[in-house]
Every structure is written in structure tokens, then in C-alpha cells.
Amino acid sequence: MWLKPEEILLKNAFKLWVTEKDNEYFVLQRRRGYGEGGGGLTGLLVGTLDTVLDSTSKVAPYRILHHTPDSQVYWSIACGVTKEEIDQHWDWLQQNIMRTLSVFDSTEDITSFVQGKIRGLIAEEGKTSLVLEDDPEKFREALLRFEKWFELPAQEKLVTYYSCSYWKGKVPCQGWLYLSTNFLCFYSYLLGSEVKLIISWDEIWRLEKTSNVILTESIHVLAHGEDHYFSMLLHLSETFVIMEQLANYSIKRLFDKEAFQGEPALSDPLQITKRGLEAHAKSEQFRAFFRLPKEENLLEVHESFLWVPFSHFNTLGKICLSENYLCFASQDGSQCHIIIPMREVINVEKPDSSSRALTVCVRGKRALRFSEVRDYQRLANTIRSRCGISASPQHSASSEAIRGECQSLINHFEDNPEDVTLMVGQKDTSKAVSTEALMTVFHPQDVENLDPKMLKEKMKEQSWNIHFSEYGRGTSMFFTKKTRDLIVRGVPESLRGELWMLFSGAVNDMATHPGCYTELVEQSLGTSTLATDEIERDLHRSLPEHPAFQSDTGISALRRVLTAYAYRNPKIGYCQAMNILTSVLLLYAKEEEAFWLLVAVCERMLPDYFNRRIIGALVDQAVFEDLIRENLPQLVDHMTDLSFFSSVSLSWFLTLFISVLPIESAVNVVDCFFYDGIKAILQLGLAVLDYNMEALIACNDDAEAVTILNRFFDSVTNKDSPLPPTVQQASVGNNDKASHVSVDISELIREAYEKYGHFRSEEVESSRKRNKLHVIQTLEDTTKQNVIRVVSQDVRFTSSQLDELYNLFKRQHFLSCYWTMKSPALLHHDPSLAYLEQYQLGFQQFSELFSLLEPWAFCASKSTLSLWVFRLIDENQDGLVNFKEFCYALDTLYGVSFTNKLKFLFKLHLPPAFDLPEDGVIRKSPERGRGKVDLQAYLKQWQNEILKKEETIKDLPRINQAQFIQFSKTLYNIFHGDPEEESLYRAVAHVTSLLLRMEEVGRRLQEPSSPPAEATQPASTAASVEPSSTQEASGNPKTSDASGSHSSQEGAAEQPDPDWSFSFEQVLASLLNEPAIVGFFERHVHIQTKLGQARVAQLKLKANK
């Protein structure tokens, strides 16, 4: 590797380096302690220096220096990990530089020329691979160390590196932490003690920041049941964020088959950079805070003041700019933020250059004034370009007019803040399939009704109208503490749909996708999938007590919304609980609005909730458990196992309390959810447990605790609800209601905010990420245990051996996915399938793993053998092998039964293993994934497995001439390299000759008139399978098959009637008479040894390839 020329002093350096080659201008040196001799004590000291010091010239074992004869100054210009690498650099210098140097007169010119040439080479190398790194020179040095120490495949992309201490027991080891796309690596070398750690991100169970008495602050990593601690990091928070991003990226890509969609810098695992990860983390946080679509990315951040008309002062905060949105969030504790879609901006003006201010005019006669913006000119131009606003001279007349209007608006706000008319926005009216919310159809409000509840409802509406007049209405409304206060008190029935759309961000989705819902309804009309069948089954279970869903109007709208969403997002399709949530959405929102609200909930606000494994709900339950430990210690002391709360609260999270609370109370919870997200559900859950604390502590078992909570939910009422009794839900426990004091939902929500509203949404998101790793790995472990339980019934391996085999099998699957986004194994992985089908190997992956585990260590022609084994065990011929099929093959080969092993080898030379096309396997292109599962096919397969009788040796077909010749060659290949090789070869030759002579005798008995010339045929056939043909058989499958068919053709040419064959009984009887062969196959081979060797060699095999 070429290095940026750096001056070094050689006064004492020759004690650490040995000169290998030199000439007039260059010196090639080797580091002491490397290469021949090792270096003794000097080598130990040198190795320690190499690890601790951050300099490649001190770490690389070889280097090239430049010097001139009359100078004592040396310049390091190249280094190398191997002798071959440094020799290539040396030869290049000899061929390209040495001849040129003779034309220079002065040594200064020579040195300048060499330095310029080396810098040019470095720049040329960095044009492609290192252009995105912050410091390409240092990164090249770190990359060299990373490749040298860990010997990972060349495709592995190093993302970043840090100096830190790794705690091995109670002793810290100072070294280097390397974070790459797929691995966390650490290396330390101190006084002969080497510590090397390689952990793949998909194996991590926990990743968190911790602190204790010894370690003030450290990063804790749990993998393979072992705890790893990294401390003394200069930038611990930055390191942790990068680690979290890489772990999350790996989990999404490998387990959920998701990439960073819309993130070009992170779409390719070979191109991920630290800068890209940091940008992605910021964009994620930005989207979550402002509830923006997942396509939006944070592009610019500007600190500024915003004039807030309702408070009459400038609030300090940050302007955040994305592709389609201009957002502002305060930093002074006022909790004020605003979201302005670019489509709403009509002009941007710079009224005052002295205060570095600009004014953004939006539709609805509103203007926002930002001041003290450091780069206000650039920000104004960016907003203009994104809004398509021209600032050219030909539009100066209209610009002047708009500028005058904006300035008058600003003056008006400053002088007359009480004037509310200008602040009212314009509501968008878009057409949907059904243009009315179901509540307005089935429960229209009676304007003349003046009962107390309706008066309270009118007062709420008036409060919100005042709020709109002060803070704006629609997409560019100010969000403040007062907004949350109004939400807690309850949203009026008439405004609920509008506010849900606004708070969730669904209003922006609908505005940017006009007509999309209508098209989806038309496209999904009449489709029949597993999702549509499930939807039809659940339609009449969705709020059946509500009049809206006792009629075809409500049922049809619910069907259209759910079917359209399943069509739009087949990855989620349809899951139970979506019907309950959508029913409530349809009550208060128009049909199209309900659809986009469902999109917002499923894809942004409750990610990964609605799929087969409900990962998102499990993650939030883990977050809930953490909050219980922090906030309800009395309950924790009484109930040490908090998993009870996870099982009880699952429906709370999946249905936002709709399934456990009466509908008139549940909608108040949904109000808070759309404003505060999952935080509202978590704090309400804590309030519920707190309210029932004494009763829960006093209960004796789980059933009693469930009864207590159910009675509590039945007693929750909404005293302000204007809904008539026909619409309100009847409580399940009416008989016991008198014994339980009723609780008003508004009071319960207010108490939840007062007691548990202190934790921030950012903390919840951080806890989500931390717990997601553990939840995913727990599900994966459950899958493993179920697979092992099924497989253990059919094989003789122990549970621990099956556990190690499964880990190797799964890792082999991932090794084919690490460095590409389009791996067949990755595309076929579907967590929704049966446990055995989730991880499968194609032929290439199977061949690599089989070569590490097959019992015959010296077997030649391994690729041929593995191909036949793959074809044999791939029973459904889909080109993929699952773990059960893989274990069946190994169990047979590692067993002690000579007959079973021979039968397995015999079947390898019969169709379908032997006579398939040359390219490998027959592929049926099975339909995989949700919505395409053929249940009848699964049932039929299950029935066939039950009725399947055990195969006997008499059921095996006879083996023909070509197959028998190849069978003999396979035996020679298996015996190759064995200590008893010669005796085994003679035994095979003897058995082959015997079988052929037996066949000849049988043919003569059947054809007494056979000419005697044919008697020479068996000898010639036997000769064709002598050990000399072993080399011909070893190679790729194509060569082996070709040789077999060639032998068959020769036999056909020499023999008038080639249709001779052998049965398995004949082959078995003949081989049983050869003790050497029987002893070879009955020899016990320890699979445990093979498993240990495979663990070490698996990654190296991939690296060598």
C-alpha cells in the first residue's frame, strides 16, 4: 500500500527493522519479530508497540523508504502486509522510477519527484474506494491493519475504527475496535498476549451503554452468552450510535429482508460509510419527531429564531429542511414546533439583511419570520428551488407585490396579535370512495340538543376554534404545550378525524398521493389471496355492537380499506387487530383518510406490529417492562416475573386499548396516541397498573390479576361522551360494575401524563432499538429449539451437536448474504414460513459446508460428491436444502451401520442424484412468501410424510453399467489418502471383478449359445474402474458425469447387449466379504472434532474464496 510520504528518523530505528533490499534511492525493510526467526524478546516488544501505537509504518511488517545518497533524511512511501505485496511495490519502483531519477541534477528535485509520484498514486487509488471517508489517508492505514489482523473476505467493508479498552475478566486490554458492515472486531497485542475478537452483528443479543464502579461508562455487548465490555472510548456516544446503526441494519437486512429504502448511501452493504450511517440516524430521528414519510431525509439544519405571534416573542430553535418539508422545533423548553410542506409555500423573502432574517409566506394568508439565520441567503435559495419559486428579474413585479403582502402580514401580527381572522387556514376537500365518516352517518349531531353532554361538546369545539385562531389550522399549525393540554381533555367528535390526520402526518401522505386510494381499490377489487380470505372472516368481528358495522355501508368500507392496504403492502398484508383499529378510524374519518391513517400507523407509528411475528409489539412490551422496573418498584418486588404483564398487555398495544376499553373511552386514548405516539400507550399502561397496584400485589395468581384488570377496564367510563347508549359499548362485567368504582377516562389520561409523562419520545426510541435485538434473537432461538426438537426424532446426534450444527447451517446461510443484497438465500428467507423452511441452503452454500463436515477427510472429487448428495436429499427438487435434510445426510454418513452408508452411496448413483442435467439441480421456482402459501399442498405433504413407509433394500432399483462404474470410482475417491489405501483399492478391484464375472455367468446361463469371445468383456470393464481412473473422476460434476457416460458408450460399443445391471443385495453381499472395506465404513468418526474445526474454518473458507 502506498503511503503519504512521511519523514522518519533512523537513529534508533535499525534496532526494530532489518534491511532486505536496497539501492541508491530506496530501501526495503522487514520488521523484527516478523518472518524468519520470530525475533524473541525484541519481537514481543515490537508487537506490543505495533498494537498500541497508531501508525501504519510501525504496524505493517514490511516497508519501503526513499532517501538520497547525500541526505540523512528518510521518507516512508509504502508498506505491506505480505512479502509478495511489498515486492510488487519494489518492482514497480525499479521499472518506473529508477530510470527517471537519473535525469535530475539535484537531490531535492529527486525527492520532490518521488513524493509527487507517490501522492498521485494514492489519489488515483482513493478516487473510487475512499472518496466518502473523512480522512482517506488514516483510513487506508486502518484498513491495512483490519485486513491483516482479522483475515476476513476482501469484500468486507470497514466502516470506522476506535482506540479503546476491552475488558477480559477484570483486566483491560488496550487495543483497537473495528466496526465493519457485518462484524464487530477487536485486536490487542501486549507483551506476547494477543486478544482477537470477531462478532457478527446478527449474533448480538444486547447492545447498551452501561456504567459501574470500575467502568465509569462503557459499551456492553452480549453475544453467544458472553458479555463483552468496551471502555475508555474518546467518543463513546458516537461509537455507540454507529454500533447501534450497524446492528439494526444487519437485523433488518438479514432477518426481515429489508434494506435502508430511500437511503442510497446505505443500500449497498459494500458501500456503507460512517458518514452515511450518521446521516441515516439523524434522518430517522427527524422523521420520527415530525411524523414525516419515510422517503424524507434531513438535508440541512440551521439555528435561528422564529417569531411566534401568539407569544409575542422570538423563540430559539432549529430549522430542519428535507426534500419536501420545512420544519422548526424550539430549544427553549416551550415545546413548540411547526411543519410546513413545501407545497404550501408561495414565496420566500429576505426583508432584513442586517438581522439575517427571511420570511416564508404560506397558503392561507400566513407568514413565518425566521431571524438570525447564519446562512440565510443559502437557505432562502434552497427553499425557493424546492418550491419551484423563481427569483429572476422577469418576476420582479409579482415578487414586489408578494413582498408587500408578507411585510404587511408581519406588521399586522406584531401590532394586532388579538386579530385572529388571518390565522385560520384553509381545509382541503378531497374526494374518496365514501366521502363521509361513519359517525356522521349513523350518529349525526343534533344542533338543537342542549343536554349537558352536548353543551360540554360545544365548549370543547369552541376551545379548539380559539386554539386554531391563535396557532393556525391545518398542515402549518403550531404544536405547543397547549395543544397537548387540549388533547388530554378530549377531542370533539366533529374534529377527531381532522386532528388524527394532522397529528399522524397522514394528511401529507394523502396530499402527495392524490387518487392513489381509488386506484388501489379498483386494482384490488376481486382479488383472492390469503389476506382477503382472512379479511372476509374478520369483517363481522369488528365492533359488531356498533350500528355502523351492522350495516353493509360500514362493512363494505372496512373491506375496501383493508383489501386496498393488503394490496398496497403485501409484506404486511393483513393481520388480526388491523380490523378493529380500522373500524375506529372509519367512524371518525372519511374512507380515504382512514386508509392513509392506517398507512401511518402500520408503517411509521407502530413499525413491525402487524406481521406474523408481531416483532414491534414484542419490542414495545419489553420497553414497557423496563418502564415498570423504573417506575413501579413495589410491583416488581412482588412479581419478579414481569412476563405476565407482557402477555396481558399485548392487546393493549396491538389495538391501542380499543379491545379492552368501551369505544367511547378508547377513542380518547387514540387521540393521545396520534399526538404522542407509543409514548401515550406506555404511560397509560403504567397508570393502569399504578391505579390497581394494591389489588395486584394482594392477588395470589395470574388468573386473579387478569380478573382485576378486566373489571377495572369495564369500570372505565367517558362522562363527557355525547354518544347515545345505542352506540356506546356494553361493559362485559356489568354484574360486577357496582362493586368497582367507575373511573373517568379523561382523569386516567391526565394522571398518566402527570405521573409518567416525564420520559421523552427519544428515550422510547432508544429503548426500542436496544430491546429489538433481544426480541429478534429470542424469536430466532425459539425457531432453533423447535427445529432441533423436530430433527432430533430422526437422527442420532445429541442436542448439543444439533445446536452446533444449526449454528453452522444458519451462519452458512448468512455468509451468502453478507456482501450482496440479491443473494438467493436471502431472497428465499421468509420468517412467516414453517420453522424448518426459514433457513435453507442453495447448492453453493451446501457444498462449502458439506466439505467442512463430511467424514472422509481425504476424499477426492468433493464437489462431485456434494452435488450428488445435494440432489439426493433435495426431495422436492426446489434447489434448496433445509436443516432436516442436511442432518439426515450427515447422520447417515456418521452412523456405524455399514449397510446404511452403502445404501446412501448406492442411491447417489441412481436418479435423481446421478442422471440430472449438468448444471446441477431441477428448480421448480417455488412460490414463497405471504399470500402465496398453498395450505392444501402443506397438508398433502404432511400426510405423505405420515404414511411414508421405511425404505428397504429390496425397494432400491438396480444399478446399470455406467452407474456401477461411477460407483466404483466414488469408492476409490473416498479411500484416497487413507492409511489403508492400497488394501482398500485391491478390495474394490476384487469386488468389481467378482460382480462382473457373476453377471457374465448369469448371462451365459440365460444364453447358452453365447460366443466365447464375450468372456473377455468383464476383465476389460473391471480394468476401466481401476484406481488409475481416480484422477479422471476427481474434478467438477460435469467431468465426472461425462466420464461415466463415456465409459457407458465404450461398453455399448464393445458389447452387443449392454443392458446388464446389479441389485443392491449383490453389491452389499460382495462388499461384506471384504473386511478392509467393512472396517473403513464402520470406523467411528467423532463429529465433535469436525464441528470444532468447521467453526474455525467456515469464515476463512469464505475469505479464501
Side-chain angles (χ1 to χ4, degrees):
M1 184 178 79
W2 300 110
L3 300 175
K4 182 180 177 181
E6 182 181 344
E7 184 179 339
I8 60 173
L9 187 64
L10 290 187
K11 183 178 180 181
N12 298 313
F14 284 112
K15 296 179 181 178
L16 302 177
W17 294 89
V18 179
T19 300
E20 300 262 316
K21 299 178 184 179
D22 64 345
N23 57 37
E24 190 176 1
Y25 298 108
F26 300 101
V27 179
L28 190 155
Q29 296 181 328
R30 173 176 55 83
R31 188 81 160 161
R32 289 188 186 275
Y34 295 91
E36 300 176 1
L41 180 59
T42 306
L44 290 179
L45 294 172
V46 170
T48 302
L49 286 171
D50 291 346
T51 306
V52 175
L53 298 179
D54 181 19
S55 173
T56 304
S57 58
K58 296 186 180 73
V59 174
Y62 299 95
R63 71 178 182 181
I64 296 176
L65 307 178
H66 163 67
H67 73 107
T68 51
D70 56 349
S71 173
Q72 297 298 316
V73 178
Y74 285 73
W75 300 84
S76 63
I77 59 172
C79 66
V81 176
T82 63
K83 188 74 164 62
E84 293 76 17
E85 182 186 359
I86 205 70
D87 281 342
Q88 288 179 1
H89 287 62
W90 180 266
D91 294 341
W92 189 89
L93 291 170
Q94 297 297 313
Q95 296 169 11
N96 298 279
I97 299 293
M98 285 299 294
R99 297 177 185 175
T100 310
L101 297 182
S102 59
V103 303
F104 293 101
D105 295 329
S106 67
T107 56
E108 289 82 3
D109 292 342
I110 291 175
T111 300
S112 297
F113 174 78
V114 171
Q115 291 180 357
K117 191 67 179 175
I118 299 302
R119 287 194 179 97
L121 291 172
I122 293 172
E124 192 64 31
E125 283 182 358
K127 274 184 181 177
T128 54
S129 60
L130 303 171
V131 67
L132 295 175
E133 306 302 340
D134 294 332
D135 190 341
E137 181 59 32
K138 282 192 175 181
F139 195 84
R140 290 172 79 252
E141 297 177 3
L143 183 59
L144 181 74
R145 295 196 300 268
F146 176 71
E147 292 173 347
K148 167 194 160 189
W149 285 336
F150 302 108
E151 299 177 326
L152 294 171
Q155 310 101 299
E156 183 63 14
K157 175 71 173 64
L158 177 64
V159 176
T160 188
Y161 60 99
Y162 300 95
S163 172
C164 73
S165 289
Y166 168 64
W167 290 78
K168 192 176 182 182
K170 295 183 179 180
V171 181
C173 303
Q174 183 63 33
W176 292 92
L177 178 68
Y178 294 87
L179 308 179
S180 65
T181 308
N182 299 294
F183 299 96
L184 178 156
C185 305
F186 176 83
Y187 185 85
S188 173
Y189 185 88
L190 295 172
L191 298 177
S193 175
E194 183 182 57
V195 178
K196 186 185 295 186
L197 188 69
I198 302 176
I199 302 173
S200 58
W201 295 112
D202 56 82
E203 297 170 338
I204 292 178
W205 281 66
R206 279 222 176 265
L207 178 64
E208 57 191 352
K209 287 192 283 188
T210 60
S211 60
N212 54 40
V213 178
I214 300 175
L215 304 175
T216 53
E217 199 171 15
S218 62
I219 295 175
H220 171 221
V221 177
L222 174 63
H224 298 299
E226 296 182 10
D227 293 299
H228 307 277
Y229 292 91
F230 302 93
S231 66
M232 300 184 190
L233 285 147
L234 189 61
H235 306 288
L236 188 135
S237 295
E238 174 194 298
T239 308
F240 180 75
V241 169
I242 296 294
M243 293 171 73
E244 198 174 53
Q245 286 283 309
L246 285 169
N248 189 46
Y249 172 75
S250 178
I251 289 293
K252 281 187 175 181
R253 186 165 65 92
L254 299 176
F255 293 111
D256 290 344
K257 295 197 303 182
E258 291 180 0
F260 284 120
Q261 297 176 356
E263 292 283 342
L266 302 178
S267 59
D268 184 354
L270 303 183
Q271 300 298 326
I272 290 180
T273 63
K274 176 186 172 186
R275 189 185 304 172
L277 287 170
E278 290 173 341
H280 180 265
K282 291 176 182 176
S283 293
E284 267 190 337
Q285 191 176 2
F286 165 69
R287 286 193 296 265
F289 184 84
F290 292 108
R291 305 277 169 78
L292 298 179
K294 60 185 178 181
E295 296 81 14
E296 298 300 312
N297 296 294
L298 182 61
L299 303 178
E300 296 180 17
V301 178
H302 301 268
E303 195 170 87
S304 76
F305 287 90
L306 171 64
W307 171 253
V308 185
F310 51 83
S311 299
H312 318 305
F313 68 87
N314 285 307
T315 181
L316 175 65
K318 287 186 177 179
I319 300 171
C320 301
L321 203 65
S322 70
E323 289 86 348
N324 299 296
Y325 295 89
L326 171 68
C327 305
F328 177 87
S330 66
Q331 293 178 288
D332 58 2
S334 63
Q335 298 179 10
C336 166
H337 70 273
I338 186 169
I339 305 164
I340 306 171
M342 294 293 187
R343 63 180 184 274
E344 299 289 324
V345 178
I346 56 175
N347 197 30
V348 180
E349 292 297 330
K350 304 187 295 296
D352 187 0
S353 58
S354 62
S355 61
R356 295 180 298 182
L358 69 154
T359 302
V360 178
C361 300
V362 298
R363 289 189 176 90
K365 297 183 179 180
R366 297 191 57 199
L368 300 168
R369 187 174 186 273
F370 299 98
S371 60
E372 298 300 329
V373 184
R374 180 174 298 177
D375 200 352
Y376 70 96
Q377 183 72 51
R378 177 164 160 267
L379 176 61
N381 293 335
T382 304
I383 298 173
R384 281 200 194 98
S385 64
R386 296 205 169 274
C387 298
I389 301 170
S390 174
S392 55
Q394 59 264 33
H395 294 90
S396 57
S398 60
S399 296
E400 286 296 331
I402 295 172
R403 184 186 295 114
E405 181 184 349
C406 291
Q407 189 59 49
S408 64
L409 280 171
I410 294 167
N411 296 334
H412 184 82
F413 292 146
E414 293 176 347
D415 299 335
N416 304 289
E418 69 282 354
D419 191 348
V420 300
T421 56
L422 295 176
M423 296 295 290
V424 181
Q426 296 176 351
K427 293 172 61 177
D428 179 34
T429 56
S430 58
K431 293 183 180 180
V433 177
S434 178
T435 57
E436 294 294 335
L438 294 179
M439 193 63 81
T440 61
V441 176
F442 289 90
H443 177 52
Q445 288 192 9
D446 186 357
V447 180
E448 297 180 358
N449 186 356
L450 297 177
D451 66 24
K453 289 187 176 182
M454 284 307 299
L455 287 174
K456 192 77 176 283
E457 188 75 2
K458 293 296 180 185
M459 289 172 63
K460 284 184 182 179
E461 289 181 15
Q462 186 62 29
S463 298
W464 275 97
N465 286 329
I466 294 172
H467 182 79
F468 292 147
S469 66
E470 292 181 1
Y471 300 92
R473 186 171 188 171
T475 52
S476 52
M477 183 179 83
F478 282 94
F479 295 80
T480 66
K481 285 181 179 178
K482 191 173 180 182
T483 313
R484 179 180 279 114
D485 292 339
L486 287 173
I487 290 287
V488 172
R489 279 186 243 161
V491 174
E493 299 280 315
S494 59
L495 296 176
R496 191 160 264 138
E498 176 189 343
L499 293 175
W500 286 358
M501 289 290 289
L502 179 63
F503 297 150
S504 66
V507 64
N508 293 315
D509 291 328
M510 192 170 78
T512 52
H513 297 83
C516 177
Y517 174 66
T518 306
E519 291 178 12
L520 287 171
V521 170
E522 292 173 355
Q523 292 167 359
S524 62
L525 194 65
T527 57
S528 178
T529 62
L530 184 62
T532 57
D533 293 342
E534 292 177 346
I535 289 169
E536 289 297 326
R537 187 183 64 218
D538 288 347
L539 283 176
H540 294 279
R541 303 177 186 174
S542 310
L543 300 186
E545 68 286 341
H546 198 285
F549 298 101
Q550 295 169 359
S551 70
D552 186 60
T553 304
I555 293 294
S556 298
L558 181 60
R559 179 188 291 112
R560 286 193 294 269
V561 172
L562 291 174
T563 307
Y565 185 79
Y567 187 84
R568 176 187 184 272
N569 190 346
K571 185 171 183 286
I572 291 179
Y574 170 78
C575 288
Q576 285 187 345
M578 288 173 68
N579 60 319
I580 298 174
L581 178 61
T582 309
S583 301
V584 175
L585 299 178
L586 282 167
L587 289 178
Y588 294 98
K590 300 172 186 177
E591 189 175 319
E592 184 179 7
E593 293 175 341
F595 171 80
W596 289 111
L597 282 169
L598 184 64
V599 170
V601 171
C602 294
E603 298 176 14
R604 285 202 304 274
M605 302 186 73
L606 297 178
D608 294 327
Y609 260 60
F610 302 100
N611 53 37
R612 294 284 181 185
R613 303 197 291 177
I614 56 171
I615 290 172
L618 296 176
V619 169
D620 283 342
Q621 284 182 300
V623 175
F624 187 49
E625 285 186 22
D626 291 343
L627 292 171
I628 292 174
R629 291 188 184 93
E630 293 174 15
N631 297 280
L632 302 173
Q634 288 179 297
L635 200 58
V636 175
D637 293 340
H638 179 72
M639 304 182 73
T640 52
D641 184 13
L642 296 183
S643 59
F644 162 75
F645 295 113
S646 294
S647 58
V648 169
S649 64
L650 182 60
S651 62
W652 304 358
F653 291 96
L654 283 174
T655 65
L656 308 179
F657 283 93
I658 296 170
S659 62
V660 293
L661 287 174
I663 185 65
E664 67 276 8
S665 300
V667 289
N668 285 39
V669 179
V670 179
D671 295 340
C672 299
F673 168 74
F674 278 123
Y675 190 82
D676 275 320
I678 195 62
K679 176 178 177 289
I681 305 299
L682 292 167
Q683 61 194 28
L684 182 61
L686 291 174
V688 167
L689 296 180
D690 188 14
Y691 193 93
N692 295 277
M693 176 87 74
E694 293 181 5
L696 289 172
I697 290 176
C699 66
N700 298 314
D701 53 33
D702 291 352
E704 189 177 345
V706 171
T707 303
I708 289 169
L709 291 173
N710 286 339
R711 285 178 180 173
F712 170 77
F713 287 129
D714 291 338
S715 70
V716 176
T717 60
N718 187 349
K719 62 183 181 182
D720 297 332
S721 175
L723 300 180
T726 54
V727 175
Q728 295 187 17
Q729 275 184 312
S731 297
V732 178
N734 275 331
N735 296 332
D736 301 322
K737 194 168 183 178
S739 62
H740 210 296
V741 180
S742 63
V743 182
D744 183 62
I745 186 64
S746 297
E747 291 298 317
L748 186 63
I749 290 174
R750 184 183 57 77
E751 187 176 330
Y753 271 93
E754 288 178 356
K755 281 191 174 182
Y756 307 108
H758 54 83
F759 58 87
R760 297 178 298 125
S761 297
E762 292 81 2
E763 295 172 5
V764 174
E765 288 301 319
S766 177
S767 184
R768 271 178 162 180
K769 290 178 182 177
R770 183 175 66 252
N771 283 288
K772 185 173 183 179
L773 292 173
H774 187 263
V775 168
I776 289 279
Q777 296 293 6
T778 302
L779 291 172
E780 289 294 310
D781 193 59
T782 302
T783 298
K784 178 172 73 172
Q785 298 306 324
N786 283 314
V787 169
I788 289 175
R789 188 177 66 251
V790 171
V791 174
S792 62
Q793 300 172 7
D794 301 321
V795 298
R796 286 178 290 272
F797 295 130
T798 65
S799 295
S800 61
Q801 289 171 345
L802 284 173
D803 189 281
E804 291 191 53
L805 276 172
Y806 185 89
N807 291 337
L808 288 169
F809 188 88
K810 181 178 172 182
R811 194 182 195 198
Q812 190 67 31
H813 166 89
F814 282 151
L815 284 174
S816 65
C817 310
Y818 279 160
W819 301 284
T820 176
M821 290 301 297
K822 297 182 179 179
S823 160
L826 188 62
L827 297 175
H828 282 118
H829 173 54
D830 188 349
S832 67
L833 293 176
Y835 289 126
L836 276 172
E837 306 298 321
Q838 287 187 22
Y839 293 107
Q840 302 185 89
L841 301 182
F843 169 66
Q844 189 61 42
Q845 294 83 43
F846 169 84
S847 179
E848 292 173 4
L849 185 57
F850 185 77
S851 68
L852 295 173
L853 293 173
E854 57 91 13
W856 302 303
F858 306 103
C859 176
S861 187
K862 287 190 177 185
S863 60
T864 309
L865 186 65
S866 61
L867 175 64
W868 293 339
V869 172
F870 182 82
R871 289 169 170 173
L872 178 64
I873 64 178
D874 181 19
E875 294 182 358
N876 59 356
Q877 296 182 348
D878 64 348
L880 297 168
V881 168
N882 64 33
F883 182 67
K884 185 178 181 180
E885 295 166 337
F886 180 75
C887 287
Y888 160 73
L890 286 182
D891 182 59
T892 304
L893 297 179
Y894 276 94
V896 294
S897 170
F898 170 70
T899 303
N900 287 343
K901 289 183 182 178
L902 190 64
K903 185 168 72 172
F904 188 82
L905 291 173
F906 189 85
K907 289 166 70 175
L908 291 182
H909 299 83
L910 296 171
F914 188 69
D915 289 336
L916 283 180
E918 298 293 339
D919 61 346
V921 293
I922 294 176
R923 295 186 180 276
K924 292 184 178 179
S925 300
E927 288 190 340
R928 297 182 175 277
R930 306 199 50 216
K932 297 181 180 179
V933 179
D934 189 346
L935 299 178
Q936 294 297 329
Y938 268 110
L939 291 171
K940 188 175 181 180
Q941 180 183 347
W942 182 50
Q943 184 181 21
N944 291 338
E945 287 180 359
I946 293 175
L947 299 176
K948 187 178 179 181
K949 63 177 182 178
E950 188 174 351
E951 185 181 55
T952 64
I953 58 177
K954 292 184 179 180
D955 296 326
L956 294 173
R958 298 173 69 87
I959 193 169
N960 64 30
Q961 179 180 358
Q963 294 164 350
F964 177 72
I965 291 172
Q966 189 58 57
F967 174 77
S968 302
K969 291 178 180 178
T970 299
L971 290 178
Y972 285 130
N973 289 331
I974 290 174
F975 300 150
H976 178 69
D978 191 84
E980 305 293 329
E981 182 178 0
E982 289 300 323
S983 61
L984 290 167
Y985 278 0
R986 286 195 297 272
V988 173
H990 180 261
V991 169
T992 304
S993 300
L994 178 64
L995 285 168
L996 291 171
R997 287 190 174 92
M998 286 170 58
E999 175 65 20
E1000 184 60 29
V1001 170
R1003 288 160 60 86
R1004 285 181 180 177
L1005 291 174
Q1006 292 177 3
E1007 301 177 13
S1009 60
S1010 301
E1014 290 184 7
T1016 60
Q1017 177 60 25
S1020 64
T1021 308
S1024 70
V1025 294
E1026 282 297 314
S1028 60
S1029 66
T1030 303
Q1031 186 176 1
E1032 177 191 354
S1034 62
N1036 57 36
K1038 188 173 180 178
T1039 306
S1040 302
D1041 290 351
S1043 66
S1045 60
H1046 177 66
S1047 301
S1048 178
Q1049 290 168 5
E1050 281 187 353
E1054 295 176 14
Q1055 190 173 338
D1057 183 12
D1059 295 329
W1060 57 270
S1061 60
F1062 298 115
S1063 68
F1064 177 71
E1065 293 99 317
Q1066 290 175 299
V1067 175
L1068 175 64
S1070 302
L1071 289 174
L1072 282 172
N1073 290 322
E1074 298 295 333
I1077 295 178
V1078 175
F1080 175 85
F1081 282 109
E1082 290 187 343
R1083 186 188 305 161
H1084 184 65
V1085 181
H1086 293 283
I1087 190 173
Q1088 200 63 44
T1089 306
K1090 282 281 187 179
L1091 290 172
Q1093 294 170 349
R1095 278 198 306 272
V1096 176
Q1098 193 174 29
L1099 193 57
K1100 288 186 177 180
L1101 180 67
K1102 197 74 179 179
N1104 294 335
K1105 284 182 178 295

